Amino acid sequence: MSEGSVLALFDFDKTLVSRDSFRLFADMGARSLLERGRLFAAAAISKLGWMTNTRYKERVLDRVWVRRTEAERAGLLEAHAIEMEGLAIEPAWTRLRAHLDQGDHVVVLSASPRFYLGPFIEKVSAAIEVHGSEVTLEGRHAKVENLYREAKAERGRAILERLQPNRTIVYTDHRDDIPLMQLADHVVLVRPEDTTRQRVQEAGIEFEVLAG
């Protein structure tokens, strides 16, 4: 990148959209109230640390993605995209579009599966670089290469090393991204919870808050 260049790194869930997009995907893909309840329970177990985030994603995808026909998958993707459009956090999208207008390099870096994240972001602009968890199908099961926590920070470091921007701005909502924030020249917390503000302050990181 040229001198004076800016890299804008955006998280996705609860940064650009107001819900966890994967939980939304699970809810929309569940075929019954019973299955929805089981997936909700799996999410709770994962949140408590009794199941890895990777295994949780694989379990959801086994139920709501792997077992569907190609036509059903296409319908689910379309419906999911429409729902996400309605969940847009407009101040964050305004910042993203401003970066594009200024010629900055914009990257969306998320633990969400790339198979739905990529097409959704690319509708906004083909100039946005998208990184998400990669999903492969092995028989009747999904395998997830999870871009989560440490893996996400490692990908962020690789992007910075490749692009070598003059200035890096990170937009995120969550304390899990503190390692990513530590790579930035400026941090913008989007509608952060109090615990996230506290943890980021304790890490010695200055930040701006974007509400909306």
Side-chain angles (χ1 to χ4, degrees):
M1 296 177 74
S2 61
E3 184 178 353
S5 61
V6 173
L7 168 63
L9 277 169
F10 284 81
D11 182 35
F12 186 70
D13 297 316
K14 299 187 180 180
T15 299
L16 289 170
V17 293
S18 59
R19 277 193 64 182
D20 182 312
S21 67
F22 191 72
R23 285 285 303 278
L24 175 65
F25 190 77
D27 286 345
M28 295 182 68
R31 297 177 185 270
S32 66
L33 288 175
L34 177 60
E35 186 168 64
R36 183 173 295 175
R38 286 173 174 168
L39 295 178
F40 178 83
I45 290 169
S46 177
K47 191 78 172 176
L48 290 169
W50 300 342
M51 178 193 302
T52 67
N53 185 266
T54 299
R55 182 68 192 103
Y56 162 64
K57 284 191 172 84
E58 290 174 344
R59 180 170 293 186
V60 169
L61 292 169
D62 281 350
R63 288 186 173 274
V64 308
W65 186 250
V66 175
R67 300 175 187 180
R68 288 183 176 266
T69 65
E70 289 300 321
E72 288 172 333
R73 290 175 185 173
L76 177 57
L77 286 178
E78 182 178 359
H80 185 246
I82 291 169
E83 287 292 320
M84 289 197 295
E85 288 172 3
L87 296 171
I89 299 175
E90 289 301 336
W93 283 103
T94 297
R95 291 286 186 97
L96 184 148
R97 293 186 181 97
H99 283 296
L100 290 174
D101 291 343
Q102 293 162 13
D104 300 337
H105 195 103
V106 178
V107 175
V108 172
L109 181 61
S110 172
S112 297
R114 198 191 184 288
F115 71 78
Y116 69 67
L117 183 63
F120 183 78
I121 296 297
E122 286 158 10
K123 285 182 179 179
V124 177
S125 172
I128 302 172
E129 184 176 333
V130 181
H131 295 261
S133 296
E134 296 293 342
V135 178
T136 56
L137 304 185
E138 298 184 3
R140 299 284 291 175
H141 298 286
K143 292 295 182 182
V144 175
E145 184 180 341
N146 205 3
L147 200 64
Y148 184 62
R149 289 187 176 170
E150 294 83 2
K152 186 177 180 182
E154 283 296 325
R155 184 68 59 86
R157 278 188 279 272
I159 292 168
L160 265 69
E161 183 177 346
R162 170 168 56 87
L163 297 176
Q164 297 190 357
N166 183 261
R167 187 165 184 258
T168 299
I169 304 171
V170 166
Y171 294 82
T172 184
D173 73 291
H174 205 276
R175 58 190 176 273
D176 281 352
D177 283 336
I178 285 175
L180 196 62
M181 298 179 212
Q182 290 170 330
L183 304 175
D185 300 292
H186 184 65
V187 170
V188 181
L189 296 181
V190 180
R191 306 199 312 183
E193 296 180 352
D194 289 342
T195 52
T196 290
R197 290 183 189 235
Q198 181 179 345
R199 295 284 182 84
V200 176
Q201 287 172 338
E202 289 171 352
I205 299 171
E206 294 185 3
F207 59 87
E208 171 191 357
V209 172
L210 187 63

Coordinates of all heavy atoms in Angstrom, one line a residue, residues 129-208:
E129 N -12.4 -6.7 1.1 CA -11.7 -8.0 1.3 C -12.4 -8.7 2.4 O -12.6 -8.1 3.5 CB -10.3 -7.8 1.6 CG -9.5 -9.1 1.7 CD -8.0 -8.8 1.9 OE1 -7.5 -7.7 1.5 OE2 -7.3 -9.7 2.5
V130 N -12.8 -10.0 2.2 CA -13.6 -10.7 3.2 C -12.9 -11.9 3.7 O -12.5 -12.7 2.9 CB -15.0 -11.1 2.6 CG1 -15.8 -11.8 3.7 CG2 -15.8 -9.9 2.1
H131 N -12.8 -12.0 5.0 CA -12.2 -13.2 5.7 C -13.2 -13.7 6.7 O -13.7 -13.0 7.6 CB -10.9 -12.9 6.4 CG -9.8 -12.4 5.5 ND1 -8.8 -13.3 5.1 CD2 -9.6 -11.2 4.9 CE1 -8.0 -12.6 4.3 NE2 -8.5 -11.4 4.1
G132 N -13.6 -15.0 6.6 CA -14.5 -15.7 7.5 C -14.1 -17.1 7.8 O -13.1 -17.6 7.1
S133 N -14.8 -17.8 8.6 CA -14.6 -19.2 8.8 C -14.9 -20.0 7.6 O -15.9 -19.8 6.9 CB -15.4 -19.7 10.0 OG -15.0 -19.1 11.2
E134 N -14.0 -20.9 7.3 CA -14.2 -21.8 6.1 C -14.9 -23.1 6.4 O -14.5 -23.7 7.4 CB -12.9 -22.1 5.4 CG -12.1 -20.8 4.9 CD -12.9 -20.1 3.7 OE1 -13.7 -20.8 3.1 OE2 -12.6 -19.0 3.4
V135 N -15.9 -23.4 5.6 CA -16.7 -24.7 5.9 C -16.5 -25.6 4.7 O -16.7 -25.2 3.6 CB -18.2 -24.3 6.1 CG1 -19.0 -25.6 6.3 CG2 -18.4 -23.4 7.2
T136 N -16.2 -26.8 5.0 CA -16.1 -27.9 4.0 C -17.0 -29.0 4.5 O -17.2 -29.2 5.7 CB -14.7 -28.4 3.9 OG1 -14.1 -28.9 5.1 CG2 -13.7 -27.3 3.3
L137 N -17.5 -29.8 3.5 CA -18.4 -30.9 3.8 C -17.7 -32.2 3.6 O -17.1 -32.4 2.5 CB -19.6 -30.8 2.9 CG -20.5 -29.5 3.0 CD1 -21.7 -29.6 2.1 CD2 -20.8 -29.2 4.4
E138 N -17.7 -33.0 4.6 CA -17.1 -34.4 4.5 C -18.2 -35.4 4.7 O -18.6 -35.7 5.9 CB -16.0 -34.5 5.6 CG -14.8 -33.5 5.3 CD -13.7 -33.7 6.3 OE1 -13.8 -34.6 7.1 OE2 -12.7 -32.9 6.2
G139 N -18.7 -35.9 3.6 CA -19.9 -36.8 3.7 C -21.1 -36.1 4.3 O -21.5 -35.1 3.8
R140 N -21.6 -36.6 5.4 CA -22.8 -36.0 6.1 C -22.4 -35.0 7.2 O -23.3 -34.7 8.0 CB -23.6 -37.1 6.6 CG -24.1 -38.1 5.6 CD -25.3 -37.5 4.8 NE -26.5 -37.3 5.6 CZ -27.6 -36.7 5.1 NH1 -27.6 -36.2 3.9 NH2 -28.7 -36.6 5.9
H141 N -21.2 -34.6 7.2 CA -20.7 -33.7 8.3 C -20.0 -32.5 7.8 O -19.3 -32.5 6.7 CB -19.9 -34.4 9.3 CG -20.5 -35.6 9.9 ND1 -21.5 -35.4 10.9 CD2 -20.4 -36.9 9.7 CE1 -21.9 -36.6 11.3 NE2 -21.3 -37.5 10.6
A142 N -20.1 -31.4 8.5 CA -19.4 -30.1 8.2 C -18.2 -30.0 9.0 O -18.2 -30.4 10.2 CB -20.3 -28.9 8.5
K143 N -17.1 -29.6 8.4 CA -15.9 -29.3 9.1 C -15.6 -27.8 9.0 O -15.7 -27.2 7.9 CB -14.7 -30.1 8.5 CG -14.8 -31.6 8.7 CD -14.7 -31.9 10.2 CE -14.8 -33.4 10.5 NZ -14.7 -33.7 11.9
V144 N -15.3 -27.2 10.1 CA -15.1 -25.7 10.2 C -13.7 -25.4 10.5 O -13.1 -25.8 11.5 CB -16.1 -25.1 11.2 CG1 -15.8 -23.6 11.3 CG2 -17.5 -25.3 10.8
E145 N -13.1 -24.6 9.7 CA -11.8 -23.9 10.0 C -12.1 -22.6 10.6 O -12.4 -21.6 9.9 CB -10.9 -23.8 8.7 CG -9.5 -23.2 9.0 CD -8.7 -23.0 7.7 OE1 -9.1 -23.7 6.7 OE2 -7.7 -22.3 7.7
N146 N -12.1 -22.5 11.9 CA -12.8 -21.4 12.6 C -11.9 -20.2 12.8 O -10.8 -20.3 13.4 CB -13.2 -21.9 14.0 CG -14.4 -21.2 14.6 OD1 -14.9 -20.3 14.0 ND2 -14.7 -21.5 15.8
L147 N -12.3 -19.1 12.2 CA -11.5 -17.8 12.3 C -12.0 -17.1 13.6 O -12.7 -16.1 13.6 CB -11.8 -17.0 11.1 CG -10.7 -15.9 10.8 CD1 -9.4 -16.5 10.5 CD2 -11.1 -15.0 9.7
Y148 N -11.6 -17.7 14.7 CA -12.1 -17.3 16.0 C -11.0 -17.0 17.0 O -10.0 -17.7 17.1 CB -13.0 -18.4 16.5 CG -13.7 -18.1 17.8 CD1 -14.7 -17.1 18.0 CD2 -13.5 -19.0 19.0 CE1 -15.3 -16.9 19.2 CE2 -14.2 -18.7 20.2 CZ -15.1 -17.7 20.3 OH -15.8 -17.5 21.4
R149 N -11.1 -15.9 17.7 CA -10.1 -15.5 18.8 C -8.7 -15.5 18.3 O -8.3 -14.7 17.5 CB -10.3 -16.4 20.0 CG -11.6 -16.1 20.8 CD -11.7 -16.8 22.1 NE -12.9 -16.4 22.8 CZ -13.4 -17.0 23.9 NH1 -12.7 -18.1 24.4 NH2 -14.5 -16.6 24.5
E150 N -7.9 -16.5 18.7 CA -6.4 -16.4 18.3 C -6.3 -16.5 16.8 O -5.4 -15.8 16.3 CB -5.7 -17.6 19.0 CG -5.6 -17.5 20.5 CD -6.9 -18.0 21.2 OE1 -7.8 -18.5 20.5 OE2 -6.9 -17.9 22.4
A151 N -7.0 -17.3 16.2 CA -6.9 -17.5 14.7 C -7.3 -16.2 14.0 O -6.7 -15.8 13.0 CB -7.8 -18.6 14.2
K152 N -8.3 -15.5 14.5 CA -8.7 -14.2 13.9 C -7.6 -13.2 14.1 O -7.3 -12.4 13.1 CB -9.9 -13.7 14.6 CG -10.6 -12.5 14.0 CD -11.9 -12.2 14.7 CE -12.5 -10.9 14.2 NZ -13.8 -10.6 14.9
A153 N -6.9 -13.1 15.2 CA -5.8 -12.2 15.5 C -4.7 -12.5 14.6 O -4.0 -11.6 14.0 CB -5.4 -12.2 16.9
E154 N -4.4 -13.8 14.4 CA -3.3 -14.2 13.5 C -3.6 -13.8 12.1 O -2.7 -13.3 11.4 CB -3.1 -15.7 13.6 CG -2.4 -16.2 14.8 CD -0.9 -15.7 14.9 OE1 -0.3 -15.6 13.8 OE2 -0.5 -15.4 16.0
R155 N -4.8 -13.9 11.6 CA -5.2 -13.5 10.3 C -5.0 -12.0 10.2 O -4.5 -11.5 9.1 CB -6.6 -13.9 10.0 CG -7.0 -13.6 8.5 CD -6.3 -14.4 7.5 NE -6.6 -15.8 7.7 CZ -7.6 -16.5 7.3 NH1 -8.5 -15.9 6.5 NH2 -7.8 -17.8 7.5
G156 N -5.4 -11.2 11.2 CA -5.2 -9.8 11.2 C -3.7 -9.4 11.0 O -3.4 -8.5 10.3
R157 N -2.9 -10.1 11.8 CA -1.4 -9.8 11.7 C -0.9 -10.1 10.2 O -0.1 -9.4 9.7 CB -0.7 -10.7 12.7 CG -0.6 -10.0 14.1 CD 0.3 -10.8 15.0 NE -0.4 -12.0 15.5 CZ -1.1 -12.0 16.6 NH1 -1.3 -10.9 17.3 NH2 -1.6 -13.1 17.1
A158 N -1.4 -11.2 9.7 CA -1.0 -11.5 8.3 C -1.4 -10.5 7.3 O -0.7 -10.1 6.3 CB -1.5 -12.9 7.9
I159 N -2.6 -10.0 7.5 CA -3.2 -8.9 6.6 C -2.3 -7.6 6.7 O -1.9 -7.0 5.7 CB -4.6 -8.6 6.9 CG1 -5.5 -9.8 6.5 CG2 -5.1 -7.3 6.2 CD1 -6.9 -9.7 7.1
L160 N -1.9 -7.3 7.9 CA -1.1 -6.1 8.1 C 0.3 -6.3 7.5 O 0.8 -5.4 6.9 CB -1.0 -5.8 9.6 CG -2.0 -4.7 10.2 CD1 -3.4 -5.3 10.2 CD2 -1.6 -4.3 11.6
E161 N 0.8 -7.5 7.7 CA 2.2 -7.8 7.1 C 2.1 -7.7 5.6 O 3.1 -7.2 5.0 CB 2.6 -9.1 7.6 CG 4.0 -9.5 7.1 CD 4.5 -10.8 7.7 OE1 3.9 -11.3 8.6 OE2 5.5 -11.3 7.1
R162 N 1.0 -8.2 5.0 CA 0.9 -8.2 3.6 C 0.7 -6.8 3.0 O 1.3 -6.4 2.0 CB -0.2 -9.1 3.1 CG -0.6 -9.0 1.7 CD -1.5 -10.1 1.3 NE -2.7 -10.2 2.1 CZ -3.8 -9.5 1.8 NH1 -3.9 -8.7 0.8 NH2 -4.9 -9.6 2.6
L163 N -0.2 -6.0 3.6 CA -0.5 -4.7 3.1 C 0.4 -3.5 3.6 O 0.5 -2.5 2.9 CB -2.0 -4.4 3.5 CG -3.0 -5.3 2.9 CD1 -4.4 -4.9 3.4 CD2 -3.0 -5.3 1.3
Q164 N 0.9 -3.7 4.8 CA 1.8 -2.7 5.4 C 1.2 -1.3 5.3 O 1.8 -0.4 4.7 CB 3.2 -2.8 4.8 CG 3.9 -4.1 5.1 CD 5.3 -4.1 4.7 OE1 5.9 -3.2 4.2 NE2 6.0 -5.2 4.9
P165 N 0.0 -1.1 5.9 CA -0.6 0.2 5.8 C 0.1 1.3 6.6 O 0.8 0.9 7.6 CB -2.0 0.0 6.3 CG -1.8 -1.1 7.3 CD -0.8 -2.0 6.7
N166 N -0.1 2.5 6.3 CA 0.5 3.6 7.1 C -0.3 3.8 8.4 O 0.3 4.2 9.4 CB 0.4 4.9 6.3 CG 1.1 6.1 7.1 OD1 0.4 6.9 7.7 ND2 2.4 6.2 7.0
R167 N -1.6 3.4 8.4 CA -2.5 3.6 9.5 C -3.5 2.5 9.5 O -4.1 2.2 8.4 CB -3.1 4.9 9.5 CG -3.9 5.3 10.8 CD -4.2 6.8 10.9 NE -4.9 7.1 12.1 CZ -6.2 7.4 12.2 NH1 -7.0 7.3 11.1 NH2 -6.8 7.7 13.3
T168 N -3.8 1.9 10.7 CA -4.8 0.8 10.8 C -5.9 1.2 11.8 O -5.6 1.6 12.9 CB -4.1 -0.5 11.2 OG1 -3.2 -0.9 10.2 CG2 -5.2 -1.6 11.3
I169 N -7.1 1.0 11.4 CA -8.3 1.3 12.2 C -9.1 0.0 12.4 O -9.4 -0.6 11.4 CB -9.2 2.4 11.7 CG1 -8.4 3.7 11.4 CG2 -10.3 2.7 12.6 CD1 -9.1 4.7 10.6
V170 N -9.4 -0.4 13.6 CA -10.1 -1.6 13.9 C -11.5 -1.2 14.5 O -11.6 -0.4 15.4 CB -9.4 -2.5 14.9 CG1 -10.3 -3.6 15.4 CG2 -8.2 -3.2 14.2
Y171 N -12.6 -1.7 13.9 CA -13.9 -1.6 14.3 C -14.4 -2.9 14.9 O -14.4 -3.9 14.2 CB -14.8 -1.1 13.2 CG -14.6 0.2 12.6 CD1 -13.5 0.4 11.7 CD2 -15.3 1.3 13.0 CE1 -13.3 1.7 11.1 CE2 -15.1 2.6 12.4 CZ -14.0 2.7 11.5 OH -13.8 4.0 10.9
T172 N -14.9 -2.9 16.1 CA -15.4 -4.2 16.7 C -16.3 -3.8 17.9 O -16.3 -2.7 18.4 CB -14.2 -5.1 17.2 OG1 -14.7 -6.3 17.6 CG2 -13.4 -4.4 18.3
D173 N -17.0 -4.8 18.4 CA -17.9 -4.6 19.5 C -17.4 -5.4 20.7 O -17.9 -5.2 21.8 CB -19.3 -5.1 19.2 CG -19.3 -6.7 19.1 OD1 -18.7 -7.3 18.2 OD2 -19.9 -7.3 20.0
H174 N -16.4 -6.3 20.6 CA -16.2 -7.3 21.6 C -14.8 -7.4 22.1 O -13.8 -7.2 21.4 CB -16.6 -8.7 21.1 CG -17.0 -9.6 22.2 ND1 -16.1 -10.4 22.9 CD2 -18.2 -10.0 22.7 CE1 -16.7 -11.1 23.7 NE2 -18.0 -10.9 23.7
R175 N -14.7 -7.7 23.4 CA -13.4 -7.8 24.1 C -12.5 -8.9 23.6 O -11.3 -8.9 23.7 CB -13.6 -7.9 25.6 CG -14.4 -9.1 26.0 CD -14.8 -9.1 27.5 NE -15.7 -10.2 27.9 CZ -17.0 -10.1 27.8 NH1 -17.6 -9.0 27.3 NH2 -17.8 -11.1 28.1
D176 N -13.1 -9.9 22.9 CA -12.3 -11.0 22.4 C -11.4 -10.5 21.3 O -10.4 -11.2 21.0 CB -13.3 -12.1 21.7 CG -13.9 -13.0 22.7 OD1 -13.5 -12.9 23.9 OD2 -14.8 -13.8 22.3
D177 N -11.6 -9.3 20.8 CA -10.8 -8.8 19.7 C -9.7 -7.9 20.3 O -9.0 -7.2 19.5 CB -11.6 -8.0 18.7 CG -12.4 -8.9 17.8 OD1 -12.0 -10.0 17.5 OD2 -13.4 -8.4 17.2
I178 N -9.4 -7.9 21.6 CA -8.3 -7.1 22.1 C -7.0 -7.4 21.4 O -6.2 -6.5 21.1 CB -8.2 -7.3 23.6 CG1 -9.3 -6.6 24.3 CG2 -6.9 -6.9 24.2 CD1 -9.4 -6.7 25.8
P179 N -6.6 -8.7 21.1 CA -5.4 -8.9 20.4 C -5.3 -8.2 19.0 O -4.3 -7.7 18.6 CB -5.3 -10.4 20.2 CG -6.1 -10.9 21.4 CD -7.2 -10.0 21.5
L180 N -6.5 -8.1 18.4 CA -6.6 -7.4 17.1 C -6.5 -5.9 17.3 O -5.8 -5.2 16.6 CB -7.9 -7.8 16.4 CG -8.1 -7.4 14.9 CD1 -7.1 -8.2 14.1 CD2 -9.6 -7.7 14.5
M181 N -7.1 -5.4 18.4 CA -7.1 -4.0 18.7 C -5.6 -3.5 18.9 O -5.3 -2.4 18.6 CB -7.9 -3.7 19.9 CG -9.4 -3.9 19.8 SD -10.3 -3.5 21.3 CE -11.6 -4.7 21.3
Q182 N -4.9 -4.4 19.5 CA -3.5 -4.1 19.9 C -2.6 -3.9 18.6 O -1.5 -3.3 18.7 CB -2.9 -5.1 20.8 CG -3.5 -5.1 22.2 CD -3.1 -6.3 23.0 OE1 -2.8 -7.4 22.5 NE2 -3.0 -6.1 24.3
L183 N -3.1 -4.3 17.5 CA -2.4 -4.0 16.2 C -2.7 -2.7 15.6 O -2.1 -2.3 14.6 CB -2.8 -5.2 15.2 CG -2.5 -6.6 15.7 CD1 -3.0 -7.6 14.6 CD2 -1.1 -6.9 15.9
A184 N -3.7 -2.0 16.1 CA -4.3 -0.9 15.4 C -3.7 0.5 15.9 O -3.2 0.6 17.1 CB -5.8 -0.8 15.6
D185 N -3.8 1.5 15.1 CA -3.4 2.8 15.5 C -4.6 3.5 16.1 O -4.5 4.5 16.9 CB -3.0 3.6 14.3 CG -1.8 3.0 13.6 OD1 -0.7 3.0 14.2 OD2 -1.9 2.5 12.5
H186 N -5.8 3.1 15.8 CA -7.1 3.7 16.3 C -8.1 2.6 16.4 O -8.2 1.7 15.5 CB -7.6 4.8 15.4 CG -8.8 5.5 15.9 ND1 -8.7 6.2 17.1 CD2 -10.0 5.6 15.5 CE1 -9.9 6.7 17.3 NE2 -10.8 6.4 16.4
V187 N -8.8 2.5 17.5 CA -9.9 1.5 17.8 C -11.2 2.2 17.9 O -11.3 3.2 18.6 CB -9.5 0.7 19.0 CG1 -10.7 -0.2 19.4 CG2 -8.3 -0.1 18.8
V188 N -12.2 1.7 17.2 CA -13.6 2.1 17.4 C -14.4 1.0 17.9 O -14.5 -0.1 17.3 CB -14.1 2.6 16.0 CG1 -15.6 3.1 16.2 CG2 -13.3 3.7 15.4
L189 N -15.0 1.2 19.1 CA -15.9 0.2 19.7 C -17.3 0.5 19.3 O -17.8 1.6 19.6 CB -15.7 0.1 21.2 CG -14.4 -0.3 21.8 CD1 -14.4 -0.3 23.3 CD2 -14.0 -1.7 21.2
V190 N -18.0 -0.4 18.7 CA -19.3 -0.2 18.2 C -20.3 -0.7 19.2 O -20.4 -1.9 19.5 CB -19.5 -0.9 16.8 CG1 -21.0 -0.7 16.3 CG2 -18.5 -0.4 15.8
R191 N -21.1 0.1 19.8 CA -22.1 -0.2 20.8 C -21.6 -1.2 21.8 O -22.2 -2.3 22.0 CB -23.4 -0.7 20.1 CG -23.9 0.2 19.1 CD -25.3 0.0 18.7 NE -25.7 -1.4 18.4 CZ -26.9 -1.8 18.0 NH1 -27.8 -0.9 17.8 NH2 -27.1 -3.1 17.7
P192 N -20.4 -1.0 22.4 CA -19.8 -2.0 23.3 C -20.6 -2.2 24.6 O -21.2 -1.2 25.2 CB -18.4 -1.4 23.6 CG -18.6 0.1 23.5 CD -19.7 0.3 22.4
E193 N -20.5 -3.4 25.2 CA -21.0 -3.6 26.5 C -20.0 -3.0 27.5 O -18.9 -2.8 27.2 CB -21.2 -5.1 26.7 CG -22.2 -5.8 25.9 CD -22.3 -7.3 26.1 OE1 -21.5 -7.8 26.9 OE2 -23.2 -7.9 25.6
D194 N -20.5 -2.8 28.7 CA -19.7 -2.2 29.8 C -18.5 -3.1 30.1 O -17.4 -2.6 30.3 CB -20.5 -2.0 31.1 CG -21.5 -0.9 30.9 OD1 -21.4 -0.1 30.0 OD2 -22.4 -0.9 31.8
T195 N -18.6 -4.4 30.0 CA -17.5 -5.3 30.3 C -16.4 -5.2 29.2 O -15.2 -5.2 29.5 CB -17.9 -6.8 30.4 OG1 -18.7 -7.1 29.2 CG2 -18.8 -7.0 31.6
T196 N -16.8 -4.9 28.0 CA -15.9 -4.7 26.9 C -15.1 -3.4 27.1 O -13.9 -3.4 27.0 CB -16.6 -4.7 25.5 OG1 -17.0 -6.1 25.2 CG2 -15.6 -4.3 24.4
R197 N -15.8 -2.4 27.4 CA -15.1 -1.1 27.7 C -14.1 -1.3 28.8 O -12.9 -0.8 28.7 CB -16.1 0.0 28.1 CG -17.1 0.5 27.1 CD -18.0 1.5 27.7 NE -19.1 2.0 26.8 CZ -19.3 3.2 26.5 NH1 -18.5 4.2 26.9 NH2 -20.3 3.5 25.7
Q198 N -14.5 -1.9 29.9 CA -13.6 -2.1 31.0 C -12.4 -2.9 30.6 O -11.2 -2.5 30.9 CB -14.3 -2.8 32.1 CG -13.5 -3.0 33.4 CD -14.3 -3.7 34.5 OE1 -15.5 -3.7 34.5 NE2 -13.5 -4.2 35.5
R199 N -12.6 -4.0 29.9 CA -11.4 -4.9 29.5 C -10.5 -4.2 28.6 O -9.3 -4.3 28.7 CB -11.9 -6.2 28.9 CG -12.7 -7.1 29.8 CD -11.9 -7.8 30.7 NE -12.7 -8.7 31.5 CZ -13.0 -10.0 31.2 NH1 -12.7 -10.4 30.0 NH2 -13.8 -10.7 32.0
V200 N -11.0 -3.4 27.6 CA -10.2 -2.7 26.7 C -9.4 -1.6 27.4 O -8.2 -1.4 27.2 CB -11.0 -2.1 25.5 CG1 -10.2 -1.2 24.6 CG2 -11.7 -3.2 24.7
Q201 N -10.0 -0.9 28.4 CA -9.3 0.1 29.2 C -8.2 -0.5 30.0 O -7.1 0.0 30.1 CB -10.3 0.8 30.1 CG -11.2 1.8 29.3 CD -12.3 2.3 30.2 OE1 -12.7 1.7 31.3 NE2 -12.9 3.5 29.9
E202 N -8.5 -1.7 30.6 CA -7.5 -2.4 31.4 C -6.3 -2.8 30.5 O -5.2 -3.0 31.0 CB -8.1 -3.6 32.0 CG -9.1 -3.3 33.2 CD -9.9 -4.5 33.7 OE1 -9.8 -5.5 33.1 OE2 -10.6 -4.3 34.7
A203 N -6.6 -3.1 29.2 CA -5.5 -3.5 28.3 C -4.7 -2.3 27.9 O -3.7 -2.4 27.1 CB -6.1 -4.2 27.1
G204 N -5.1 -1.1 28.3 CA -4.3 0.1 28.0 C -4.5 0.6 26.6 O -3.7 1.4 26.0
I205 N -5.7 0.3 26.0 CA -6.0 0.7 24.6 C -7.0 1.9 24.6 O -8.0 1.8 25.3 CB -6.7 -0.5 23.9 CG1 -5.7 -1.7 23.8 CG2 -7.1 -0.1 22.5 CD1 -6.3 -2.9 23.3
E206 N -6.6 2.9 23.9 CA -7.5 4.1 23.8 C -8.5 3.7 22.7 O -8.2 3.1 21.7 CB -6.7 5.3 23.4 CG -5.8 5.8 24.6 CD -5.1 7.1 24.2 OE1 -5.4 7.7 23.2 OE2 -4.3 7.6 25.1
F207 N -9.7 4.2 22.8 CA -10.8 3.9 21.9 C -11.8 5.0 21.7 O -12.0 5.8 22.6 CB -11.4 2.6 22.2 CG -12.1 2.6 23.6 CD1 -13.4 3.0 23.7 CD2 -11.4 2.1 24.7 CE1 -14.0 3.0 25.0 CE2 -12.0 2.1 25.9 CZ -13.3 2.5 26.1
E208 N -12.5 5.0 20.6 CA -13.6 5.8 20.3 C -14.8 4.9 20.4 O -14.8 3.7 20.1 CB -13.5 6.4 18.9 CG -14.7 7.1 18.4 CD -14.6 7.4 16.9 OE1 -13.5 7.1 16.3 OE2 -15.6 8.0 16.4

